[in-house]
Amino acid sequence: RNTFRRKGRLGLTLATLTMAGAIFISVFSVSQSIKVTTDELFEYFNYDIGMVFTKARRVDRIEQEALSVPGVVGVECWGYAIGRILRNPLNENDSEQLFVYGPNANTQMIRPQMVRGRWLESGDENALVINTDVIKKMPELGPGSKITLKLAGKKAEWTVVGVAKSVMAGPTGYVNYPYLSRAVRELGKASSVQVKTIRHDGASQVSIARELEVHMKKAGLRVNFLQTTQELKDMILAQFNVIVTFLLIMAGLLGIVGALGLAGTMSINVVERTREIGVMRAIGAGDGDILQLVMVEGIIIGCISWVMGLALALPVSKFMSDQVGILFIQAPLTFRFSIFGAMLWLAVILAVSALATWWPARSASRVSVRESLSYE
């Protein structure tokens, strides 16, 4: 009953602790949603190493050299070019850069997740699939949109047939390899290579990638860029972790403010009930009884804030997950509520409540009966 005696003071303390709890749990939910979404996005990759040469090379030679490296079990050569989408065909300065890859329509090296429209078909010519990073810069585009794309110094009209989820690789477009190779005048050649290795763990990928790079250099095929899928995944998670860490720090600061508020609230409550404590001690209550009384009151406040924080965390977690996803991949994250985060916050708030209440409780238990009864 004492817990609810000063409702206004209790409300202020609960508000701070509830907000801290909601953000804390939400941060763990966002973190879990990021991991789930990243795993889903990386189902896109059915290869282990991506490699780009300084210039296009003959496909048959690339495949022969790559397959001669121990640990390489599959190779697929793609066309690659850097183009520009012209918003105004008469003004090339009003444009956006686009990384254009040319896989075969039946490629086995990627499994794109389509947001809208469709993937490439074997009969497509000037058909283009863009990723959500392009939509971030040009939201007006979608399936059916006509765009002017400048590739290899030539302008041509292309039709957007689909939008795929981005894997944070920048504004990217996909077109059929045969059509792209003709458009950039590199028939039978490729500059982008996707390699599948016998083992798929990060250490094996890195080891084989280094051997592959050295072998290509010895063969006279200069590599401009080489990256394993695990390295890309780690880089993406590191970017997400910046936001998660910032939010966690904010939740921690709110938790500290809430703990100080709880300690202050309990101290004032003890002072206001000094005579009451004196009466209790006069009729036989010991130090342990007074200590337990005050600490239980603080822990009850902590538990109430946990329940309220848990209820608030559900919508807050969903909102934060959606916003982080839209910010990075132009689509909401696959939401997962973190039970671990909720249980961890329960342990934290119980510990914080006990610590914040211990000093006021100790002070109350050490007040003598004479001092208590004479308090005005």
Side-chain angles (χ1 to χ4, degrees), residues 3 56 103 105 180 261 263 276 335 344:
T3 304
L180 178 63
E276 179 183 320
F335 178 66
L344 180 60

Side-chain angles (χ1 to χ4, degrees), residues 112-137:
Q113 295 184 33
M114 303 306 297
V115 177
R116 287 181 285 164
R118 63 172 177 84
W119 180 246
L120 299 170
E121 296 176 354
S122 57
D124 287 336
E125 292 196 342
N126 65 335
L128 175 70
V129 173
I130 57 177
N131 69 358
T132 49
D133 281 341
V134 179
I135 299 298
K136 185 176 181 179
K137 295 187 175 183

Side-chain angles (χ1 to χ4, degrees), residues 22-302:
I23 295 179
F24 185 91
I25 297 170
S26 297
V27 169
F28 276 84
S29 296
V30 169
S31 179
Q32 188 168 335
S33 299
I34 287 170
K35 290 177 182 177
V36 171
T37 304
T38 304
D39 289 340
E40 289 178 350
L41 289 178
F42 271 77
E43 291 178 1
Y44 162 92
F45 296 103
N46 197 30
Y47 61 88
D48 300 284
I49 302 169
M51 183 168 55
V52 178
F53 293 112
T54 53
K55 63 179 182 179
R57 302 288 186 171
R58 287 176 51 199
V59 169
D60 55 353
R61 187 182 177 201
I62 293 172
E63 291 177 346
Q64 179 183 352
E65 296 293 345
L67 289 171
S68 67
V69 175
V72 174
V73 295
V75 180
E76 194 171 292
C77 298
W78 295 358
Y80 174 74
I82 299 178
R84 300 200 72 85
I85 301 176
L86 306 182
R87 285 192 173 92
N88 181 356
L90 302 178
N91 181 11
E92 294 188 12
N93 292 324
D94 187 12
S95 62
E96 294 291 345
Q97 181 174 269
L98 184 71
F99 301 105
V100 182
Y101 290 92
N104 289 308
N106 59 351
T107 177
Q108 299 301 307
M109 290 293 187
I110 55 172
R111 296 183 286 261
Q113 295 184 33
M114 303 306 297
V115 177
R116 287 181 285 164
R118 63 172 177 84
W119 180 246
L120 299 170
E121 296 176 354
S122 57
D124 287 336
E125 292 196 342
N126 65 335
L128 175 70
V129 173
I130 57 177
N131 69 358
T132 49
D133 281 341
V134 179
I135 299 298
K136 185 176 181 179
K137 295 187 175 183
M138 304 180 71
E140 71 276 8
L141 296 183
S145 299
K146 304 287 185 180
I147 64 169
T148 300
L149 183 62
K150 185 176 181 180
L151 281 174
K154 294 176 63 177
K155 300 176 186 176
E157 186 178 84
W158 296 70
T159 301
V160 176
V161 296
V163 178
K165 268 190 181 181
S166 170
V167 288
M168 298 180 70
T172 302
Y174 302 91
V175 302
N176 270 339
Y177 169 74
Y179 192 78
L180 178 63
S181 62
R182 291 198 301 270
V184 297
R185 297 183 290 278
E186 292 178 352
L187 284 170
K189 295 182 178 181
S191 53
S192 175
V193 185
Q194 291 26 265
V195 177
K196 186 179 290 188
T197 61
I198 193 168
R199 293 186 300 275
H200 310 296
D201 59 283
S204 298
Q205 287 181 354
V206 171
S207 176
I208 296 172
R210 299 298 170 256
E211 291 182 26
L212 185 63
E213 186 175 19
V214 170
H215 180 83
M216 289 298 180
K217 185 176 181 180
K218 289 180 180 178
L221 305 175
R222 292 186 59 192
V223 176
N224 183 49
F225 174 80
L226 183 144
Q227 187 178 55
T228 67
T229 53
Q230 186 60 49
E231 288 172 337
L232 178 59
K233 186 175 184 178
D234 291 342
M235 182 184 71
I236 291 173
L237 287 174
Q239 294 181 24
F240 277 121
N241 286 339
V242 172
I243 289 183
V244 172
T245 302
F246 172 77
L247 292 173
L248 200 55
I249 290 172
M250 189 167 67
L253 291 174
L254 277 172
I256 292 172
V257 171
L260 293 174
L262 178 59
T265 296
M266 296 309 300
S267 295
I268 295 172
N269 287 351
V270 167
V271 171
E272 288 180 344
R273 297 206 298 271
T274 300
R275 288 177 61 86
E276 179 183 320
I277 292 171
V279 172
M280 292 176 62
R281 291 175 67 84
I283 61 176
D287 292 351
D289 296 322
I290 303 300
L291 186 71
Q292 180 181 354
L293 179 69
V294 178
M295 290 200 67
V296 166
E297 183 179 337
I299 291 173
I300 288 174
I301 293 174

